[in-house]
Structure formats: structure tokens, C-alpha cells
Amino acid sequence: MNQAVRRVAIVAAMPEELSALLQAMPPDKQVQRAGRTFWLSQWCGHEVVAVLSRIGKVAAATTTTLLLTEFAVGRVLFTGVAGGLGEGVRVGDVVVADALLQHDMDASPLFPRFELPGLGVDRLRADADLVALVVQVAGEVLDKAHLHGLLQSAPRVHQGLVISGDLFVDTTAESAALRLALPDALAVEMEGAALAQVCHDFGVPFAVIRTISDRADDAAHVDFQRFVLEVASRYSLAVVKAVLERLPR
Ligand code: SAH
């Protein structure tokens, strides 16, 4: 590979989120590191590496570190599902993170709640150009899916704060507490802010794209299983492929 060419990484936490994409991506080479498989390919005009991070912040951080240190990655796209928190963020909608925060980071009273010790901030921003591209492309993909009758109601694309923690939020009480503490949070998941912190440390642009699988409430586990099996993987494929086709080389 030309040293000047930096790969685009595509990361998801669970196999269900990436299976359609892995089938569509022309296979080239597989590399094993730290119990993960990294799939290398040339796809849509880019050198691509796809990987499953596994669930949770540490798993996401390990995976992202490997991508940035061993796979010459210059841009990172995370694709997966999340629980909707914001008002009007419904199952089937897409949330594109413009900033990410770890909702279980609390080193108070030494540091303000949520602040990342040493970084002096609680939110890390995703790359503005990538976010703008993803928001535009996701809107077009969802419109098409709706017009073709694949989705019953018109899904919406939201842009804003996504929060991460090592917790599957599946009670109405937990999601209400998060909403109270972080009123502008649109969605909650378990990896994005960890990936963001590693990308921030390495100075590598990234974006996090989340399809809403549940409302992080008492029905979350039921909605989650159904959605992940039926929809998540097809959503990821459609959005990521369209983003790669438009992404500058
Ligand atoms: N019970 C599930 C656990 C998966 S954890 C299972 O049987 O596999 C949920 C995964 O989806 C994580 O990768 C997380 O990022 C995302 N997610 C979706 N909805 C979530 C929610 N309500 N709270 C936290 N993470 C959620």
C-alpha cells in the first residue's frame, strides 16, 4: 500500500451490525490481532479495513488503538445501534454524533462530573466534514428506503450529542436519570465516546453513526433484539457504502 494512502476504518460492536457490509465488501485479506479479525479490502475507491470491536468502552478503545497504530488508518467510521434518549428520537431514526461524552466518567470532586481527567473537557467533537457528509448521505438513504416501502414511517436523521457508558440502558428510570443529567443527549450506547477519545489522542478524524434500536426504557431489550436482527445490518451497509462513494480519496 502506498504510504500516502491512509485506510478508512469501519467499526461496529456486534456481528449483527456488520454482517451485510462484510458480505458486500470484496474480500482481500484478513489479519488477526488481539482476538479480533481485521478485514482489509479495496472498496468504493478506498482502502478499507473493517473490524468488530466487541461491546463496551475498553473493547472499543483497544480496537481503535490497533487500527491507528497497525493499520495505517486515516479516518474512522463507527456504525451501529443505540438507545434513543432525545425527545423525538424514535426507533428507526439515525443519530449522527457531533460530540461524544462518557456518561459513567465521574472523578468528582477532583474533576467536574463527566470531565475527562487530563483533557479538561467532557465532550469530544467528531470531525465536522465527516459529520456533514454522513448527515447528508443518511438523509438520502433513508428517504429512498422509505419511498421503496422498506420502512413504515419516515425515519429522521438527527445530529447532536451521543453518550457512552458500560451499561445497557434498559429501564425507564435509568434513561430518565441520564436525560436529567444530560438534557441535550440524543442517544446512548456503549462504545462511541471511547473510540472518540482514542481518535482524539491520535489526531485522527472520526464519525459515529447510530441507528436507534430502542428507547433505552423498560421495553429496550425486546425492541433491541428485533431491530438488530431485522434492520441494523442493512442500515449500516446502505449508509456506509453511500458515505464511501462520496468521501474524498
Ligand atoms: N442484550 C444485548 C446486549 C448488547 S449491548 C445482547 O443480547 O446482545 C447493546 C449494544 O448496542 C452495544 O454495543 C451498544 O452500543 C448498543 N446499544 C443499543 N441500545 C442501547 C441501550 N439502550 N443502552 C446502551 N447501549 C445500547
Side-chain angles (χ1 to χ4, degrees), residues 42-138:
Q42 278 198 327
W43 193 34
C44 306
H46 295 276
E47 297 283 345
V48 172
V49 52
V51 62
L52 290 170
S53 66
R54 305 181 188 157
I55 293 168
K57 291 188 301 169
V58 174
T62 303
T63 309
T64 310
T65 305
L66 283 168
L67 285 168
L68 302 187
T69 55
E70 296 203 25
F71 292 91
V73 162
R75 285 169 290 191
V76 181
L77 298 173
F78 190 102
T79 175
V81 296
L85 283 181
E87 206 183 314
V89 178
R90 296 183 303 183
V91 171
D93 287 359
V94 168
V95 172
V96 183
D98 60 16
L100 296 106
L101 171 150
Q102 293 176 32
H103 67 75
D104 54 0
M105 171 58 75
D106 187 355
S108 62
L110 303 178
F111 298 91
R113 187 177 178 196
F114 305 127
E115 183 169 309
L116 297 166
L119 293 184
V121 294
D122 55 13
R123 292 152 196 243
L124 295 174
R125 298 202 70 79
D127 181 72
D129 291 341
L130 275 180
V131 170
L133 176 65
V134 172
V135 167
Q136 188 192 342
V137 164

Side-chain angles (χ1 to χ4, degrees), residues 100-207:
L100 296 106
L101 171 150
Q102 293 176 32
H103 67 75
D104 54 0
M105 171 58 75
D106 187 355
S108 62
L110 303 178
F111 298 91
R113 187 177 178 196
F114 305 127
E115 183 169 309
L116 297 166
L119 293 184
V121 294
D122 55 13
R123 292 152 196 243
L124 295 174
R125 298 202 70 79
D127 181 72
D129 291 341
L130 275 180
V131 170
L133 176 65
V134 172
V135 167
Q136 188 192 342
V137 164
E140 292 168 13
V141 167
L142 290 188
D143 274 351
K144 221 185 274 172
H146 183 230
L147 290 177
H148 291 180
L150 297 176
L151 302 167
Q152 280 143 9
S153 63
R156 293 174 53 200
V157 180
H158 311 263
Q159 176 181 333
L161 178 67
V162 170
I163 61 175
S164 314
D166 286 320
L167 178 73
F168 182 63
V169 182
D170 65 347
T171 68
T172 304
E174 283 167 336
S175 51
L178 287 174
R179 228 175 265 123
L180 193 65
L182 295 160
D184 59 335
L186 296 182
V188 59
E189 37 87 312
M190 302 177 68
E191 298 84 18
L195 176 139
Q197 191 171 345
V198 176
C199 287
H200 170 271
D201 287 352
F202 282 84
V204 170
F206 69 93

